[in-house]
Amino acid sequence: MYDTTEHPGERIRQMIAERHYPIGLVAGLLGINRPNLNNVINCKVALSHDLACRIAAFFADDVEEQDRIALDLLQRQLWHDWNANKARRETIRREVGATFG
């Protein structure tokens, strides 16, 4: 299991580093620009479904492995968002509870 507060960009950065690929090369092969990839791997923006699929296709040839990688990355994003928004969820619960409770 992984840290559920970890942004998926940390895992993507690790995947790239393990293979010693230059970020600019990876970005070009993924069909995105380097600043966009940097924003994800530096945990500044959320990982999109599209980019998760592109990364999975880049790192795996087998369709089932691509699906596993993409789903893992998207699940990391979901957990990261969920944990980052705990205070907002509590506010919503109070607001809705006061209205309907």
Side-chain angles (χ1 to χ4, degrees), residues 6-23 26 37-44 47 55 59 73 76:
E6 180 181 275
H7 188 281
E10 295 178 41
R11 175 66 184 126
I12 297 165
R13 184 177 341 117
Q14 180 184 32
M15 293 166 68
I16 293 169
E18 287 171 355
R19 290 159 182 84
H20 307 285
Y21 293 146
I23 299 298
V26 174
L37 181 57
N38 273 330
N39 284 336
V40 172
I41 66 173
N42 291 322
C43 310
K44 294 180 179 178
L47 176 70
I55 289 166
F59 283 104
L73 293 173
R76 288 171 188 261

Side-chain angles (χ1 to χ4, degrees), residues 2 18 22-23 35 39 44 53 58 82-83 89 101:
Y2 50 85
E18 287 171 355
I23 299 298
N39 284 336
K44 294 180 179 178
C53 291
F58 180 77
W82 180 258
N83 287 315
R89 286 194 313 276

Side-chain angles (χ1 to χ4, degrees), residues 56-68:
F58 180 77
F59 283 104
D61 293 326
D62 178 73
V63 173
E64 289 181 12
E65 182 66 6
Q66 290 175 6
D67 288 349
R68 188 198 65 73

